[in-house]
Amino acid sequence: MTLSASAAPTADHDRLPVMDILRGFALLGIFLMNIEFFTRTLQSYSGGVSPSEGWDHVFGLAIYVAVQGKFWVLFALLFGMGFALMRDRALATGRPFFGMYLRRTLLLALFGVLHIAFVWVGDILLAYAITALLLMMFAWLRRTAAWVVGALVYLGMAGLWLLMGVGLMFMPDSMMEPVRAEMMGLVAEAERAAAVYREGSFVEITGQRLSDFQFLATGALPFQVPMMLGVFLIGSWLVGSGRLADPVAHRGFFVKLAVGGLALGALGVAASVALGTQFDLVDGFAEATAAMGLMSLGNLPLALGYLALVVLLATGPLRGAFGVLAPAGRMALTNYLMQSVVGTLVFYGYGLGLWGEVGRSGQVGIVLVVFAAQVAFSHWWLARFRFGPMEWLWRAGTYLQWPPMRRVAGA
């Protein structure tokens, strides 16, 4: 079975190079954030910065302030951009879009389920797939309305998170007892989970992953999916506006977005940090929840500021330096999954078993070494092949054909 060129995967010359650079940049931030949770339980996520001293505390605090929560937003913006590009290309060629996009989304969900079951519970792919199904319901939105609706949805959910924390802070002690009891159970589960990840076999750790996913599905996903939907819509508007196709011509817009996004984001993050960066989940759960709400309010504008700053630098004075990231961005799915494989093999009991043994500064060192290797490998691979391994498989299922893998001379 073959498809016409108009319905085939995007050719190299049809890509937006700055999006590949942004994906590569986002991969680094995602790994800096995620690596801690290959050696720290998800149940302790709301506790803020992990207790530490010296350089471990410095790196932990810096990543909490500048990275955590910002880079999944940046990746989600890019996902929304990809949706808009596929939709607009299909409309321009008169080809059906929704069937193709549905196959793409269901495959992503499958990758996410396998990732959760056999590698790491902190997977983002399944949540992206669920949100992508909802995104198709908003494909009819006019471009200007897309960013307005997206911003309202995201900020509304972040604001709800903040209000929940503030409400808990003013709740009478007698009414907080059930909350404290639940948090005590969560702390105990975190200690048990840590022992399994540190010492367990692959089968035991797989069981713990599935148990942890139930915790995420009932706790985090109901907030995460609507927030993702809002970010997807903003991303689809941004690429639909044409600004990323010619960022040099829209330099003024990106300057304003960088300044405004970084300033507004810094306010939200500063307010969160003022409330606290380390929390006792039993007695400080209300403050932890309010701090996470404030941080979430700052994460979206800060991610937009990061995006704009990278666009300005990658199309200006640091074009060559940022261009190095593009091949890694073209293989974002492959590299993301490989980061999880490396993380679990380093820290889990069935690997090197270093759970709890490597501080935040050491984790940053691992990230830099692994990511540098991924960038080098991506350059090597794409000099010989057209797609990353997982990207090739994803495209085959999306377009119902096996795309040519090897590059031919002169291609």
Side-chain angles (χ1 to χ4, degrees), residues 120-135:
W120 185 52
V121 72
D123 165 82
I124 200 72
L125 303 179
L126 181 58
Y128 277 2
I130 293 170
T131 309
L133 292 174
L134 298 175
L135 180 62

Side-chain angles (χ1 to χ4, degrees), residues 57-346:
H57 179 72
V58 171
F59 280 104
L61 182 61
I63 292 170
Y64 178 77
V65 169
V67 177
Q68 186 168 309
K70 289 78 179 170
F71 279 81
W72 79 254
V73 174
L74 179 56
F75 236 129
L77 287 166
L78 289 161
F79 196 100
M81 294 175 195
F83 168 84
L85 283 174
M86 291 184 67
R87 178 196 60 200
D88 292 349
R89 187 165 183 256
L91 289 174
T93 56
R95 294 287 174 175
F97 167 71
F98 286 105
M100 174 184 65
Y101 194 75
L102 180 61
R103 291 192 298 272
R104 179 179 175 85
T105 301
L106 293 178
L107 274 171
L108 187 67
L110 176 61
F111 295 154
V113 168
L114 295 175
H115 187 210
I116 291 166
F118 298 108
V119 185
W120 185 52
V121 72
D123 165 82
I124 200 72
L125 303 179
L126 181 58
Y128 277 2
I130 293 170
T131 309
L133 292 174
L134 298 175
L135 180 62
M136 291 195 293
M137 299 169 56
F138 291 84
W140 55 270
L141 277 179
R142 299 176 68 89
R143 283 172 180 161
T144 301
W147 81 260
V148 174
V149 172
L152 289 175
V153 170
Y154 177 93
L155 296 174
M157 293 304 297
L160 179 60
W161 203 339
L162 173 60
L163 287 175
M164 286 175 56
V166 172
L168 289 171
M169 289 169 66
F170 289 96
M171 189 173 289
D173 286 344
S174 60
M175 297 180 66
M176 282 296 294
E177 285 306 315
V179 177
R180 291 194 182 96
E182 185 176 349
M183 290 300 104
M184 290 178 66
L186 193 65
V187 170
E189 172 58 22
E191 294 174 354
R192 191 190 72 79
V196 174
Y197 285 119
R198 182 173 57 249
E199 304 167 1
S201 65
F202 181 82
V203 172
E204 291 169 330
I205 289 175
T206 298
Q208 184 62 50
R209 273 196 296 267
L210 296 177
S211 174
D212 285 347
F213 177 69
Q214 291 179 338
F215 165 73
L216 283 179
T218 56
L221 280 180
F223 279 89
Q224 191 178 40
V225 168
M227 293 173 80
M228 279 185 180
L229 177 60
V231 179
F232 282 7
L233 287 169
I234 295 171
S236 69
W237 162 78
L238 186 57
V239 80
S241 71
R243 292 182 172 95
L244 280 170
D246 191 0
V248 174
H250 295 91
R251 191 169 185 81
F253 167 81
F254 287 107
V255 169
K256 293 176 183 176
L257 184 61
V259 173
L262 294 175
L264 287 174
L267 286 175
V269 171
S272 175
V273 170
L275 194 56
T277 59
Q278 292 180 334
F279 302 95
D280 181 327
L281 289 182
V282 176
D283 293 320
F285 178 69
E287 290 79 6
T289 303
M292 290 289 287
L294 285 168
M295 186 70 79
S296 295
L297 287 172
N299 287 343
L300 175 60
L302 206 55
L304 286 166
Y306 288 170
L307 181 149
L309 188 59
V310 170
V311 169
L312 290 169
L313 294 175
T315 57
L318 297 180
R319 182 189 304 268
F322 276 92
V324 171
L325 299 176
R330 290 187 61 181
M331 293 174 53
L333 179 59
T334 296
N335 285 322
Y336 168 74
L337 293 173
M338 284 306 301
Q339 288 173 358
S340 294
V341 171
V342 170
T344 54
L345 289 179
V346 169

Side-chain angles (χ1 to χ4, degrees), residues 31 35 38-39 197-198 338-358 362-363 366 370:
F31 199 15
I35 192 169
F38 295 117
T39 182
Y197 285 119
R198 182 173 57 249
M338 284 306 301
Q339 288 173 358
S340 294
V341 171
V342 170
T344 54
L345 289 179
V346 169
F347 294 107
Y348 283 9
Y350 58 74
L352 297 179
L354 296 182
W355 179 282
E357 301 295 324
V358 181
Q363 293 169 20
I366 293 172
V370 172

